[in-house]
Amino acid sequence: MDFHPYRWGDPAHATELPTSAKDTLALFGVKTPEHGPVEPVEITLPAVALDAEALDALAAVVGAEHVHTDHDARLGHTRGWSTPDLLRLRAGDATDAPDAVAKPGTHDEVVALLDACSTRNIAVVPYSGGTSVVGGLAPRREGFAGVVAIDLGQLDALLDLDPVSRTATLQAGMRGPRVEALLGEKGFTLGHFPQSYEGASIGGYAAARSAGQSSAGYGRFDDMVVGLVLATPRGTVTLGSAPKSAAGPDLRQLVLGSEGTLGVITSVTVRVRPAPAERVFESWRFASFEAGADALRRLVQDGPEPTVLRLSDETETGINLADPSAMFGSGPGGCLAVVGYEGSAADVAARRAGATAVLTEAGGELLGPDGGEAWRKGRYRAPYLRDPLLDAGVLIETLETVTFWSNLHALRAAVTTALTESLTAQGTAPLVLCHISHLYETGASLYFTVACAQAEDPLAQWAQAKSAANAAIRAAGAAITHHHGVGTDHRDTYAQEIGPLAVDALRAVKQALDPAGILNPGVLIDPTTGGD
Amino acid sequence: MDFHPYRWGDPAHATELPTSAKDTLALFGVKTPEHGPVEPVEITLPAVALDAEALDALAAVVGAEHVHTDHDARLGHTRGWSTPDLLRLRAGDATDAPDAVAKPGTHDEVVALLDACSTRNIAVVPYSGGTSVVGGLAPRREGFAGVVAIDLGQLDALLDLDPVSRTATLQAGMRGPRVEALLGEKGFTLGHFPQSYEGASIGGYAAARSAGQSSAGYGRFDDMVVGLVLATPRGTVTLGSAPKSAAGPDLRQLVLGSEGTLGVITSVTVRVRPAPAERVFESWRFASFEAGADALRRLVQDGPEPTVLRLSDETETGINLADPSAMFGSGPGGCLAVVGYEGSAADVAARRAGATAVLTEAGGELLGPDGGEAWRKGRYRAPYLRDPLLDAGVLIETLETVTFWSNLHALRAAVTTALTESLTAQGTAPLVLCHISHLYETGASLYFTVACAQAEDPLAQWAQAKSAANAAIRAAGAAITHHHGVGTDHRDTYAQEIGPLAVDALRAVKQALDPAGILNPGVLIDPTTGGD
């Protein structure tokens, strides 16, 4: 699949705004911009900074046919899918374009590419799905001879499937649908379904600690990984002798979340599950977000645990109801939840009976399968609305965080207030929606969607709101990201979160594995500050 | 509780060998040694290497009354509870005794102690439970002005309990029974019951990635930890803003398993559970170890999962049956399993019904509650037999490993063969018992107990057998330890397991947090080899 440089997902699924939505937007002072976005072909790229010797060195590793410096290849590897990323490209700004795109076909070629780039002081951005929404694909350029995107798309094989141990070894460039197709042929599933499923890949899941919509049942991606292979400028690191052990620190968990700064993950070995024989998705209504959160908490703390758990707040519930293409057609008021079960028929029946009793006891009203099934079938569609909304003059973006249960409602209030106050002060009062979609025994994530009229400079407008949200998250003691990652956008808040000594420890690991500092410089860790 | 310097556990639980056992031992060529062990008061300690200035500096931090250099304090902090550790002390060898024992009362005092020792090039061994069985308490002495044991016993408070998030913050020096007593008063349990429960402490659980006998239901200790505080010579690292996040690598998992080499863990925040209302423990018989392993694998892969799962091989099953104080009195043949359930009455009933159906379908024979209950009540008693066995001239020790399911039986055969061949070649044919006690979806641990007649030099005898076992584990691609840790005993095999680049990465983290290299030197990582 070829993705558009600045539009979400599969171009075949691009969508239009419903007419009724346009009427609603007018109420928020939204005005359609005079000029549409710059067409991709009209975007000017910076000149290729790499000289012929450098390009030849890349070609010597992967073959000349796998080194690309043309306009489309470079533009197609420029930044990710965050709203600021899209806004920049829509405005014709492709200053972060890589100088070249190299497409290795093997792990050894990745190691050789890193060695070639390290020797020549060329910065490297590992690129697999290209779906980062936190600036993870925009490495620092200053101080380097150029930037090469290492596109892992050719590394897309299922290397091994062990049906007894229920593990699969997957190459980093495999996108979600390919993983499920290949595992499905053998009767297995990975069960990892992030919102970016159509575009995101195994390497990105691992490097940025992805969490999918079925995390209640299948776990987060970092829970699934039992082994990995990392290419570094100094060679290969292979980790994962056992599911769990006491053999020192769990270094897999040091590589997971390292966002391409310590090496390039070329394959992972993951736990897989039998493809489910049965699926039931239902929707529920709760009187309030607090009541719904308490009910869902009971399930993850005392069981039985469904496969999917998701609770929208009153505003998100209301928006969906007001939309003629609404996912839930169940009447006004309260908060809607999706509860899904996957597994064997007996397992689904048992968990569903148990969970239904708990949710009913907690004040929930079972609305039936229609809303749940509609959500399941349309689960990847919502982000496609962003492009026509941006076209229509709406600023829309999402952000997320995670905390312990006792801090959840205070955190939600603080972030909502920060976003609302920042954008209102800028003359663009927003709508702030929130949902819970990842739950743990000790806490849960909060996912916010923010929409308002675009100001004259929407990048600056969002930067101010985002900064206020980051500060609110930090002040509340929560984590700066639950599953989007750190990238460049969260880097400074992340440094505050873990503190200067932990930043030094990370920097020391990077120095050990990547002495020239070429790997995704500026992502995750600021290379220009700190240290002894 | 005061522990004996070289006898396991609570002195009140010391035990004698049954007469019938002594008869059996004679069959193995075991002869009672002419001389009993050296009495503790007769063991000569090396002179205290620290000068008055250094001792004053420690006293300035914790108070003179909390700095101990007397014979009993130093001897009581010498090494841990492995058979080689005991053999050395029984032979009067206390060369690894620390020069002083400092007992801080606060986290800040730990930081100040590390600073004082760092400045003076004094090696530090963090000491909480003192139960290491892998040489984790015997730091390298060469190149240092001396060795100080930092005894965390005063850090034994329950700092916080959050009943909504179900988290508790526990200081590192708390031993297992105290944790359960304090949590129990509030209606909660940690659910962590390692064999060393009576002696081991929170700090050790964390630093060495402990796994308890109820790991199937409650998880490993590293699964329970959501936050921790680490004292380093450069200051404090505080980790854990949320249950899980995508905010970079999970640095908690870098500190867990670091065995005192990166800092001193002074407190952890853990997930807790409501104290169970109901407990059912039962025993089952399977025709073979393979059949039993397959049956238990079905439970951890497809559910429902009991709280305790444990399967003895034919030899371990037979030994227990031959013993008049046998845990299982259920007739000869096959392999015995313990299956336990803890939780609410409804939860226990549901899981027990489901698991009983699965195990029966898999060929298991339910023997009833007697064997299971006897195991539960006697679960901490078995290691007390080691001391009278050593007195009687038996060499007895345990070791453990973990691998993926498809490799489990090959690993068991390889380790059994390596141990048997090594000891038989030394003229002391052993008995090798094995059980599975920790199970995952993708694999399981193997725990071996080895017993034979003591040779003239039992330390050298065991070193040779252990070396053969380590090589077999490495050749099988398994992890060198499931829950005992690395210490000094597994250090070199561990380095082979993770490879030289990963060792460099660990060394880099240590250098960043502990620039003088005073923290448990020689444990986990060899400070004298490798690096750039």
Side-chain angles (χ1 to χ4, degrees), chain A residues 162-167 208-210 220 222-223 226-227 232 234-259 262 269-274 297 301-302 347 400 402-407 440-444 474 477-486 494 497-506 508-509 511-513 515 524 531-532, chain B residues 162-167 208-210 220 222-223 226-227 232 234-259 262 269-274 297 301-302 347 400 402-407 440-444 474 477-486 494 497-506 508-509 511-513 515 524 531-532:
Chain A
D162 177 344
V164 175
S165 305
R166 292 194 180 168
T167 59
R209 288 189 180 275
S210 175
R220 303 161 49 86
D222 50 19
D223 290 334
V226 295
T232 83
R234 291 188 56 209
T236 299
V237 178
T238 304
L239 298 170
S241 300
K244 295 272 187 175
S245 84
D250 191 343
L251 297 175
R252 297 172 296 200
Q253 299 293 334
L254 179 63
V255 174
L256 298 169
S258 63
E259 302 193 5
L262 304 182
T269 301
V270 291
R271 170 251 288 161
V272 295
R273 299 250 175 94
R297 176 165 62 87
Q301 289 188 336
D302 295 322
D347 173 50
E400 33 82 81
V402 54
T403 191
F404 296 100
W405 283 113
S406 58
N407 192 36
Y440 306 93
E441 280 186 71
T442 57
R474 183 82 290 274
I480 190 59
T481 170
H482 174 265
H483 58 272
H484 281 175
V486 174
Y494 171 60
E497 183 178 322
I498 65 171
L501 286 183
V503 172
D504 277 357
L506 276 180
V509 175
Q511 171 69 24
L513 298 179
L524 193 68
D532 287 328
Chain B
D162 176 345
V164 175
S165 306
R166 293 194 181 167
T167 60
R209 288 190 178 276
S210 175
R220 301 160 51 85
D222 50 19
D223 291 334
V226 295
T232 84
R234 292 188 56 210
T236 298
V237 177
T238 304
L239 298 170
S241 300
K244 294 274 187 174
S245 84
D250 191 342
L251 297 175
R252 296 172 298 200
Q253 299 293 334
L254 180 63
V255 174
L256 297 169
S258 64
E259 303 192 4
L262 304 181
T269 301
V270 290
R271 170 251 287 162
V272 294
R273 299 252 175 93
R297 176 165 62 87
Q301 289 188 335
D302 295 322
D347 173 49
E400 32 83 80
V402 53
T403 192
F404 296 100
W405 283 113
S406 58
N407 192 37
Y440 307 93
E441 281 185 72
T442 57
R474 183 83 290 275
I480 189 59
T481 169
H482 174 266
H483 58 271
H484 280 175
V486 175
Y494 171 61
E497 181 178 324
I498 65 171
L501 287 182
V503 172
D504 277 359
L506 276 180
V509 175
Q511 170 70 23
L513 299 179
L524 193 67
D532 288 328

Side-chain angles (χ1 to χ4, degrees), chain B residues 27-178:
Chain B
L27 299 177
F28 283 84
V30 173
K31 292 177 195 152
T32 305
E34 283 180 37
H35 304 291
V38 179
E39 285 299 318
V41 293
E42 290 167 10
I43 297 176
T44 305
L45 299 183
V48 172
L50 296 174
D51 61 18
E53 191 278 337
L55 293 170
D56 286 350
L58 303 178
V61 174
V62 296
E65 70 278 24
H66 297 305
V67 178
H68 306 275
T69 55
D70 58 286
H71 180 274
D72 285 1
R74 292 177 64 206
L75 187 64
H77 291 78
T78 302
R79 307 191 193 103
W81 285 4
S82 73
T83 294
D85 285 351
L86 305 195
L87 289 172
R88 287 194 189 91
L89 281 182
R90 291 167 65 97
D93 169 5
T95 47
D96 286 323
D99 296 294
V101 178
K103 298 189 174 177
T106 65
H107 167 83
D108 288 347
E109 287 185 4
V110 177
V111 174
L113 279 175
L114 295 180
D115 180 53
C117 291
S118 197
T119 306
R120 290 168 181 79
N121 193 37
I122 299 168
V124 162
V125 50
Y127 189 104
S128 46
T131 59
S132 172
V133 291
V134 292
L137 298 167
R140 182 183 165 82
R141 180 177 290 274
E142 296 75 27
F144 295 97
V147 175
V148 171
I150 298 189
D151 184 317
L152 302 168
Q154 283 196 92
L155 299 177
D156 69 344
L158 170 61
L159 295 180
D160 186 49
L161 180 76
D162 176 345
V164 175
S165 306
R166 293 194 181 167
T167 60
T169 302
L170 310 168
Q171 284 191 305
M174 299 177 85
R175 286 198 159 99
R178 180 168 168 82

Side-chain angles (χ1 to χ4, degrees), chain A residues 206-218:
Chain A
R209 288 189 180 275
S210 175
Q213 293 168 344
S214 304
S215 66
Y218 291 98

